[in-house]
Amino acid sequence: MSKGRILVTGGCGYIGSHTIVDLIENGYEVVAVDNLSNADESVLKGIAEITGVNVKNHVVDLAEREATIRLFQEEAFTGVIHFAALKHVGESVDQPIRYYQNNLNSLLNVIEGMQETGCQHLIFSSSCSVYGNTDELPVTEKTPRQSAESPYGRTKQMCEDILFDVCKISPDFQGVLLRYFNPAGAHPSCLIGEAPSNPASNLAPVITETAIGKRKEMMVFGNDYNTSDGSCVRDYIHVVDLAHAHTLALDYLRENRQASNCELFNLGIGTGVSVLEAIHAFEEVTGVRLNYRIGDRRAGDVVAIYANADKAGRELGWQPKYNIKDIMKTAWAWEQKR
């Protein structure tokens, strides 16, 4: 018997596709919606091969209100996991209006669709970018948010505020905000992984594309930060670990274990890894030397951020299984296959 019928927005994307697999493997029925602006429906074949389930995708732009409301009226969902958003930090600096219009309107339309149809459970894909350049490391859920370093980060802050406000006046509406750090790696089957339609900007695919020859070289944006080796420090979390946290968050709402109707969790390994350390980890597990060079700092980048995820372990029962070497090993296996 199904545990519920879940709409995964951005379901053909990187994290969305891995989460769909985890949901199906844990007893949920899944429907996807993705406008395919940075994804491809071919990922659905990989999902079907892993799970034996054909998942339907609705090609809908969630920033369009009428189309979004119609989707909710035509289908019946017990919960929503909302990934769909523009997500490139540098691009958001250059195109702030586009980011505000897309990321805010899509969330508002999804909430309206949920409320009109009585769908009460929402898992929101937030980001460590909401913390800004914090002096407190590792960050906990109680770490004060600083000014975001990019319009992308500000949209995540605004979306969080929207959800807190909605939950405050809607006691039956239950939300979980997952602030996650830097997803990377690929499914162990190598049937799905990170495959953006637009040029990759996340570190792991940039590394693997350089290693396989799709890029002549890769750029390390700055080596003069106040870190151990001068490059930016991040908390890299394997996408399979991250995906499972979303399933656990739905279980958490379904079983009514939350203390309030809007809860917040960090999702990260809890260890900071610099860009150069990630490069060296890749070289160690693959034996492939990378052609990289040091460039200028990139606008919008936070210097260092990594998580304290004890609350997720305590309340969701979530424990990450993979480390940076596992991430690089699976990312490379996926790159070689695709």
Side-chain angles (χ1 to χ4, degrees):
M1 182 176 176
S2 170
K3 291 161 71 174
R5 193 162 190 262
I6 308 303
L7 176 67
V8 177
T9 78
C12 293
Y14 175 44
I15 306 172
S17 59
H18 286 79
T19 300
I20 287 174
V21 168
D22 197 85
L23 288 168
I24 292 170
E25 291 178 341
N26 285 277
Y28 285 95
E29 182 183 354
V30 182
V31 175
V33 57
D34 199 306
N35 68 358
L36 307 179
S37 63
N38 192 34
D40 192 284
E41 284 187 321
S42 61
V43 72
L44 299 175
K45 297 177 182 177
I47 291 172
E49 202 166 333
I50 295 168
T51 65
V53 175
N54 291 312
V55 173
K56 180 181 180 181
N57 179 58
H58 293 268
V59 183
V60 171
D61 185 346
L62 296 174
E64 296 180 2
R65 179 183 173 276
E66 290 185 6
T68 303
I69 302 302
R70 187 161 55 248
L71 170 63
F72 278 88
Q73 290 172 339
E74 291 174 354
E75 300 268 11
F77 306 115
T78 59
V80 175
I81 300 181
H82 184 51
F83 294 111
L86 298 174
K87 65 183 183 65
H88 293 170
V89 169
E91 183 180 71
S92 77
V93 174
D94 296 330
Q95 303 177 38
I97 294 175
R98 178 174 172 237
Y99 270 67
Y100 291 126
Q101 287 178 333
N102 183 84
N103 292 4
L104 299 182
N105 286 336
S106 61
L107 175 64
L108 291 168
N109 292 338
V110 165
I111 292 172
E112 185 176 351
M114 292 178 68
Q115 291 183 325
E116 280 201 13
T117 56
C119 179
Q120 298 175 339
H121 293 166
L122 175 64
I123 311 299
F124 176 67
S125 165
S126 192
S127 164
C128 63
S129 63
V130 301
Y131 291 111
N133 262 318
T134 179
D135 294 327
E136 182 181 322
L137 290 173
V139 295
T140 72
E141 291 81 1
K142 294 182 179 179
T143 299
R145 297 185 326 191
Q146 305 296 326
S147 176
E149 291 294 303
S150 67
Y152 163 74
R154 272 187 284 282
T155 67
K156 290 299 184 182
Q157 290 179 333
M158 292 175 181
C159 286
E160 286 192 353
D161 293 341
I162 288 168
L163 283 168
F164 281 122
D165 288 341
V166 169
C167 288
K168 194 179 299 180
I169 63 165
S170 308
D172 293 333
F173 190 91
Q174 297 174 316
V176 170
L177 285 63
L178 299 179
R179 287 178 180 166
Y180 37 82
F181 286 65
N182 289 69
H187 194 273
S189 67
C190 292
L191 291 168
I192 58 173
E194 192 164 7
S197 302
N198 300 318
S201 61
N202 292 340
L203 181 62
V206 169
I207 285 176
T208 59
E209 287 179 3
T210 304
I212 209 164
K214 292 180 181 177
R215 299 169 182 250
K216 291 182 179 179
E217 64 177 7
M218 67 168 287
M219 185 77 72
V220 176
F221 295 104
N223 68 342
D224 57 350
Y225 289 102
N226 185 24
T227 62
S228 60
D229 58 22
S231 62
C232 288
V233 171
R234 298 290 183 268
D235 186 333
Y236 295 96
I237 175 174
H238 198 288
V239 67
V240 170
D241 284 331
L242 182 61
H244 188 52
H246 293 78
T247 301
L248 293 175
L250 273 177
D251 290 343
Y252 176 78
L253 292 181
R254 183 170 167 268
E255 295 161 10
N256 198 29
R257 287 187 273 130
Q258 69 275 17
S260 71
N261 66 323
C262 195
E263 289 288 334
L264 172 65
F265 296 95
N266 281 340
L267 297 177
I269 300 295
T271 303
V273 176
S274 75
V275 174
L276 290 172
E277 287 171 338
I279 288 172
H280 299 327
F282 175 84
E283 292 178 331
E284 182 180 340
V285 298
T286 65
V288 178
R289 293 299 300 268
L290 282 174
N291 182 27
Y292 66 90
R293 66 185 174 93
I294 308 298
D296 295 333
R297 294 185 179 192
R298 180 172 57 180
D301 275 344
V302 169
V303 177
I305 189 86
Y306 52 96
N308 176 317
D310 291 348
K311 182 182 176 185
R314 188 171 60 249
E315 298 188 25
L316 300 182
W318 179 74
Q319 294 295 334
K321 299 177 181 178
Y322 299 96
N323 60 29
I324 188 65
K325 291 183 180 179
D326 300 319
I327 285 170
M328 292 303 171
K329 190 178 297 183
T330 56
W332 181 232
W334 162 249
E335 183 67 65
Q336 290 176 300
K337 181 165 183 179
R338 79 183 182 103

